[in-house]
Amino acid sequence: MSQRKVISLDDLRVACRNCSLTSLCLPMGLAPEDIERLDEIVKRNRPLHRGDFLFREGDRFRSLFVVKTGSVKTFAPSPEGGEQVLGFHLPGEVIGLDAIDKDAHACSAKVLETSAICEIPFARLEELTMSIPSLQHQMYRLLSKEIGQDTELLLLLGKKNAEERLAAFLLSLSKRLHKRGLSATDFYLSMSRHEIGNYLGLAVETVSRLFTRFQDDGLMRVDRKHIQIIDQDALEALVGGIGQHRRQQQQS
Amino acid sequence: MSQRKVISLDDLRVACRNCSLTSLCLPMGLAPEDIERLDEIVKRNRPLHRGDFLFREGDRFRSLFVVKTGSVKTFAPSPEGGEQVLGFHLPGEVIGLDAIDKDAHACSAKVLETSAICEIPFARLEELTMSIPSLQHQMYRLLSKEIGQDTELLLLLGKKNAEERLAAFLLSLSKRLHKRGLSATDFYLSMSRHEIGNYLGLAVETVSRLFTRFQDDGLMRVDRKHIQIIDQDALEALVGGIGQHRRQQQQS
DNA sequence: CGAACGGTTGATACGGCTCAAGTCTGGTGG
DNA sequence: CCACCAGACTTGAGCCGTATCAACCGTTCG
């Protein structure tokens, strides 16, 4: 991944004293005193519970949030009362980057289960990046990465069928959990089928049927929120689009 | 838009000596000498022609590109030979932000028509942002804005039907052109129906039928690539989702 | 002139949404 | 501790939107 020959992500995750900072100081050669300075501006709030809001759409933007443990969903309430789930955020992931532009949150963030969340006042972080080049670069990377992830999801929604979407979703969860040292093959979903469907652009019933099918096909075991992935390769194959999708391929 | 009481976007567009810089120096109070410094690192290449590449997937990331005139599409080639169109970029828009993270381009960028494109070496820009706080802030905003835009598109692909997608696409083009001083109601499409369909996750035939329908309904006049918007309000209404969509609304 | 390509239009098939029952689980109160 | 209820999930049947297949038209270009 990292082209510039620096410390690997995993090395640095350990080096970071506060796990909530890993996302920010991952792949850069931050001097210990710089890590110290970064560490000082981070607020460690008391644990939040299911249903608590980190922020709501329209709130003034003050801080970025980093999930330490637990999970958070971000969503855009739509005028008609519904909502569009924009993402699920697992430990180590940063929330709120989309609010910098307008200086206000464009979406809401709600805690899915009891979670520890760190808060990083953006104004102070921005000051800090002015004097620590590698931290500034890391911020650019963080923002850029978010764009790349959105792009992937975009591809998912534009081109993949229901099966491929759910498979991709599960693999994404699996990989992200694994990156944080949790099991990649045995985990609990903190979101409802409804939320999964909303996120993937599918009806609840479709999601439910697919879980059943995946289990019947021996790809995984599903017991309510408990997921055990049995055949990861088969899942990857589903996503990769081995199966014939729709058309939608052509050039200029 | 701009919460912080600074010069408006439009004021500054004029102030910028080089129109290609507008995206970067839009809403900040850049001192004249800073604009000068920014201006100095911008390369003005000779015009590119239809089919030329700005960069290809996998290329090492060196520069951001800003469209001065013309248009560019970005797309991700898929292993099977097809491609996913990720975006169309009009004058004033910045290309390449998603490449910062991995220091390599994750997509390709191809010129759709004869275009003038400026190149900004990122390493030099990054140096510059270290010494100009408002430029740094503007970079954060630019990246953040890109995230917000992706999110919008994501919503489009996840929740909207064909009609709403095409309407949203046309309105988006219209507004972006208008922002650059071009006509919002009379313009030429530089991309093919195929590319539009690919971008919106629709089959070419569907796009074609919708253009016909929109014209029959008196929303616009369509003559090949020439689009004249007649009833913008009706288009807005289509997008807003006045019509009943699918379900996909619920909470946690 | 003919071939290639982009675009339009029609007929048909099918994936996934919708509607409609159920089933299971967890929480609450008697 | 059980009865009850509400909400999450599952399962089935049918329908609708859009992809797909196919034919055709107009334009461009060699």
Side-chain angles (χ1 to χ4, degrees):
Chain A
M1 288 301 121
S2 185
Q3 293 69 10
R4 4 177 74 222
K5 274 281 170 248
V6 285
I7 309 176
S8 84
L9 304 198
D10 288 295
D11 295 340
L12 261 160
R13 185 175 319 135
V14 178
C16 268
R17 304 187 327 181
N18 183 319
C19 84
S20 74
L21 295 179
T22 50
S23 300
L24 284 174
C25 59
L26 280 183
M28 54 186 178
L30 260 202
E33 63 267 27
D34 290 337
I35 294 183
E36 174 71 24
R37 290 166 69 193
L38 178 54
D39 197 60
E40 272 166 13
I41 71 171
V42 176
K43 294 186 200 167
R44 290 164 194 78
N45 300 324
R46 55 166 171 52
L48 297 173
H49 301 288
R50 173 172 182 78
D52 290 347
F53 278 87
L54 256 48
F55 50 80
R56 291 166 196 264
E57 188 190 29
D59 283 358
R60 172 128 198 280
F61 170 62
R62 298 175 189 285
S63 301
L64 298 176
F65 295 89
V66 184
V67 182
K68 205 143 95 184
T69 65
S71 53
V72 175
K73 77 162 175 181
T74 45
F75 60 99
S78 77
E80 305 93 36
E83 67 184 45
Q84 158 74 34
V85 175
L86 298 173
F88 301 107
H89 307 272
L90 305 182
E93 298 177 351
V94 180
I95 305 173
L97 294 171
D98 60 325
I100 299 173
D101 176 40
K102 297 201 182 348
D103 204 37
H105 287 284
C107 62
S108 302
K110 208 173 188 177
V111 175
L112 288 172
E113 59 190 318
T114 302
S115 303
I117 314 278
C118 282
E119 183 178 347
I120 307 180
F122 184 69
R124 304 199 55 190
L125 178 59
E126 209 172 353
E127 282 169 28
L128 215 53
T129 62
M130 279 308 296
S131 60
I132 310 177
S134 59
L135 183 60
Q136 188 198 51
H137 185 71
Q138 177 57 12
M139 278 299 293
Y140 289 146
R141 285 196 53 191
L142 193 64
L143 282 151
S144 172
K145 186 177 190 175
E146 186 92 359
I147 295 171
Q149 285 170 354
D150 280 5
T151 297
E152 255 178 69
L153 186 52
L154 216 136
L155 214 141
L156 194 76
L157 292 179
K159 299 276 182 281
K160 311 262 186 183
N161 64 25
E163 194 177 69
E164 296 164 324
R165 290 185 203 189
L166 188 61
F169 170 69
L170 291 169
L171 282 175
S172 164
L173 280 188
S174 164
K175 288 186 174 133
R176 286 149 68 198
L177 289 170
H178 187 61
K179 232 196 293 188
R180 292 293 148 182
L182 302 169
S183 170
T185 56
D186 189 312
F187 51 88
Y188 284 80
L189 300 173
S190 59
M191 68 295 287
S192 69
R193 303 282 195 269
H194 233 120
E195 288 166 324
I196 295 173
N198 185 309
Y199 176 62
L200 296 176
L202 299 173
V204 201
E205 296 92 329
T206 304
V207 173
S208 182
R209 275 184 254 271
L210 283 172
F211 270 125
T212 306
R213 172 152 26 124
F214 283 173
Q215 179 161 46
D216 290 349
D217 292 353
L219 300 182
M220 59 179 64
R221 295 208 329 117
V222 182
D223 176 31
R224 313 203 116 258
K225 309 246 175 213
H226 186 197
I227 303 290
Q228 295 173 75
I229 293 181
I230 295 173
D231 191 346
Q232 173 164 352
D233 293 341
L235 274 178
E236 305 265 16
L238 274 187
V239 176
I242 306 300
Q244 75 305 341
H245 315 225
R246 321 177 165 181
R247 269 203 249 159
Q248 310 205 344
Q249 338 269 36
Q250 74 293 311
Q251 77 305 335
S252 58
Chain B
M1 289 296 126
S2 187
Q3 292 72 9
R4 5 179 71 222
K5 273 283 172 247
V6 286
I7 309 174
S8 85
L9 305 199
D10 289 295
D11 294 341
L12 261 161
R13 185 173 320 135
V14 179
C16 269
R17 304 188 325 184
N18 183 318
C19 82
S20 73
L21 295 180
T22 50
S23 301
L24 285 174
C25 59
L26 281 183
M28 55 187 176
L30 260 202
E33 63 266 29
D34 290 337
I35 294 183
E36 174 70 25
R37 290 166 68 193
L38 177 55
D39 197 60
E40 271 166 13
I41 70 170
V42 176
K43 294 186 200 166
R44 291 165 195 77
N45 301 325
R46 56 167 170 50
L48 297 173
H49 302 289
R50 174 171 181 78
D52 290 346
F53 279 87
L54 257 48
F55 50 80
R56 293 164 194 263
E57 189 191 26
D59 284 357
R60 171 128 199 280
F61 171 61
R62 298 175 190 286
S63 300
L64 297 176
F65 295 88
V66 184
V67 181
K68 204 142 101 184
T69 65
S71 52
V72 175
K73 79 163 173 180
T74 46
F75 61 99
S78 76
E80 305 93 37
E83 66 184 46
Q84 158 74 36
V85 175
L86 298 172
F88 301 107
H89 307 273
L90 306 182
E93 298 176 350
V94 180
I95 304 173
L97 294 171
D98 60 327
I100 300 173
D101 176 40
K102 296 202 185 340
D103 204 37
H105 287 285
C107 62
S108 303
K110 207 173 187 178
V111 175
L112 288 172
E113 61 191 316
T114 302
S115 302
I117 313 279
C118 283
E119 183 179 347
I120 307 179
F122 185 68
R124 303 198 56 187
L125 178 59
E126 209 173 353
E127 282 168 29
L128 215 54
T129 62
M130 279 307 297
S131 61
I132 310 177
S134 60
L135 183 59
Q136 188 199 49
H137 185 73
Q138 177 56 14
M139 278 299 293
Y140 289 146
R141 286 196 51 191
L142 193 63
L143 282 151
S144 171
K145 186 177 190 174
E146 187 91 358
I147 296 171
Q149 284 171 353
D150 280 5
T151 297
E152 255 178 69
L153 186 52
L154 217 137
L155 214 141
L156 193 77
L157 292 179
K159 301 273 182 281
K160 312 262 187 182
N161 64 24
E163 193 177 72
E164 295 165 324
R165 290 185 203 188
L166 187 62
F169 170 70
L170 291 168
L171 283 175
S172 165
L173 280 188
S174 164
K175 286 184 176 137
R176 287 150 66 198
L177 290 169
H178 187 61
K179 232 196 291 188
R180 292 293 149 182
L182 302 168
S183 171
T185 56
D186 190 312
F187 51 89
Y188 284 80
L189 300 174
S190 59
M191 69 295 289
S192 69
R193 303 282 195 268
H194 235 119
E195 288 166 323
I196 295 173
N198 185 309
Y199 177 62
L200 296 175
L202 300 172
V204 201
E205 295 92 329
T206 303
V207 174
S208 181
R209 275 184 253 272
L210 283 172
F211 270 124
T212 306
R213 170 147 33 118
F214 283 172
Q215 180 163 44
D216 291 348
D217 292 354
L219 299 182
M220 58 178 62
R221 295 209 330 119
V222 181
D223 176 30
R224 314 200 116 262
K225 309 243 175 217
H226 187 197
I227 303 290
Q228 295 174 76
I229 293 180
I230 296 173
D231 191 345
Q232 174 164 352
D233 293 341
L235 274 179
E236 305 264 16
L238 272 188
V239 177
I242 307 298
Q244 74 307 337
H245 315 225
R246 324 183 164 178
R247 270 203 247 159
Q248 310 204 343
Q249 339 268 33
Q250 72 295 311
Q251 78 304 335
S252 58

